[in-house]
Amino acid sequence: SRKIKYVFITHPDRDHVTGLLQFNQLNSREGFPQIYYPKDAGSFPAFREFQRKFDPHVQGSIWTGIQHHDEIGLQKQLLVQAIRNNHIQADEGVSKSLSYKIFELKRKVKPAFAQLTGEEKKQIAISKGRDFLTHEVRTNILSYSGDSPVEDYSRWDQSEILIHESTFLKGEDDMEIEAKGNRHSRIDEVFQMVSEIEVGKLILNHFSSRYSKEIIIQSIRSMCKAYHIQIPVFAIYPGEIHRDILNQQPVNA
């Protein structure tokens, strides 16, 4: 766990923060881990102050509140972007629950200079700078919805890998549960969205524990057929942990 330097938390529900204080207690050192959380979720400053009193040696870790469209650079070529979602209903501009997108950053030669020789490009870079010669290209290599209803389809378009919650299967009882608490996604809504955007691989998670693994598999395969899904679809079932999930058999194989 000490390899983990950055922690991005979607919201303060117990199933999303369990283990956080112990992780920090074991790994805190000067400047790390850097813990990012929705800036308007008051639980996190409370967590931070409690732990600084309870485990005084964790002073080195950094807690930072972030909001919609904030961007955090991890390395020279990796960037995390926060996306506000409506899992926890709040006024516009208030960030209490976040989704995340990870971008790989590369610089490529602008089309206007593409036909030049290597030496010509080198001279332009020397005389006018690399920013004049090249432009930044962002590739969305991973998107994570966190707990969220299906909202803006374009949010996840062009994701190489999309991890999206699918709390409810399609049923009348689900709507009654959804109306009483924070907002989640239904599996049919997720598949309809994915059928209308470009996604490389889909990982479904956060299924309600009221569903068996067999029922979830049956529902996924039914939805893949109904919405003509050709991309690999993987699933994290209730109570299970998966390692290297993308090298396992897709549910719709």
Side-chain angles (χ1 to χ4, degrees):
S1 64
R2 199 169 179 81
K3 293 180 180 179
I4 300 172
K5 296 181 178 179
Y6 307 92
V7 178
F8 293 86
I9 306 175
T10 57
H11 63 291
D13 283 357
R14 281 168 291 183
D15 58 325
H16 289 255
V17 298
T18 299
L20 175 63
L21 298 185
Q22 178 68 356
F23 165 79
N24 197 34
Q25 188 269 333
L26 290 171
N27 296 288
S28 180
R29 65 268 195 201
E30 190 59 37
F32 293 103
Q34 296 183 23
I35 301 168
Y36 296 92
Y37 62 88
K39 75 174 186 66
D40 298 309
S43 299
F44 294 104
F47 285 154
R48 179 188 62 208
E49 294 312 309
F50 166 77
Q51 190 166 35
R52 286 178 177 176
K53 293 177 182 178
F54 194 77
D55 296 313
H57 69 279
V58 304
Q59 301 294 331
S61 57
I62 300 173
W63 297 67
T64 305
I66 56 177
Q67 59 187 335
H68 185 56
H69 279 176
D70 278 354
E71 296 183 341
I72 297 91
L74 303 186
Q75 303 169 7
K76 185 177 180 181
Q77 293 183 325
L78 285 180
L79 179 86
V80 175
Q81 183 184 74
I83 305 292
R84 179 186 181 277
N85 65 53
N86 284 305
H87 171 60
I88 300 174
Q89 297 186 48
D91 292 338
E92 194 69 30
V94 175
S95 295
K96 290 193 173 185
S97 180
L98 295 174
S99 307
Y100 293 103
K101 299 169 76 171
I102 301 179
F103 292 94
E104 182 181 56
L105 310 180
K106 292 184 178 180
R107 297 205 67 84
K108 293 189 177 181
V109 174
K110 294 177 181 177
F113 305 118
Q115 303 305 316
L116 299 181
T117 65
E119 182 59 31
E120 289 172 328
K121 294 173 186 174
K122 179 180 177 181
Q123 292 304 316
I124 291 174
I126 292 172
S127 62
K128 296 189 176 182
R130 282 177 52 83
D131 288 344
F132 182 83
L133 178 68
T134 63
H135 67 287
E136 182 182 82
V137 176
R138 294 186 172 193
T139 302
N140 184 189
I141 60 174
L142 178 66
S143 296
Y144 175 54
S145 73
D147 287 6
S148 171
V150 172
E151 300 178 278
D152 180 6
Y153 285 17
S154 65
R155 176 175 298 175
W156 309 125
D157 195 20
Q158 305 298 317
S159 299
E160 290 188 355
I161 301 169
L162 171 60
I163 305 173
H164 203 287
E165 75 121 287
S166 188
T167 302
F168 296 120
L169 305 186
K170 190 176 181 181
E172 293 181 4
D173 292 344
D174 298 336
M175 300 307 295
E176 292 184 14
I177 296 172
E178 180 73 351
K180 296 177 182 178
N182 292 334
R183 300 176 64 196
H184 294 86
S185 297
R186 281 201 332 259
I187 194 169
D188 58 311
E189 298 172 322
V190 177
F191 274 103
Q192 181 173 343
M193 174 184 68
V194 170
S195 72
E196 298 183 26
I197 60 176
E198 294 293 328
V199 172
K201 297 180 178 70
L202 175 64
I203 302 174
L204 298 172
N205 73 333
H206 206 270
F207 294 98
S208 170
S209 59
R210 54 206 281 264
Y211 307 122
S212 68
K213 180 176 179 178
E214 292 70 28
I215 292 296
I216 293 171
I217 291 173
Q218 179 182 342
S219 182
I220 291 173
R221 289 175 176 168
S222 174
M223 291 294 162
C224 286
K225 184 176 180 180
Y227 289 97
H228 308 289
I229 302 297
Q230 301 298 318
I231 64 172
V233 179
F234 304 86
I236 301 174
Y237 305 105
E240 293 190 8
I241 294 174
H242 289 261
R243 294 179 174 86
D244 199 17
I245 190 170
L246 295 179
N247 281 324
Q248 298 178 14
Q249 188 83 346
V251 181
N252 60 335

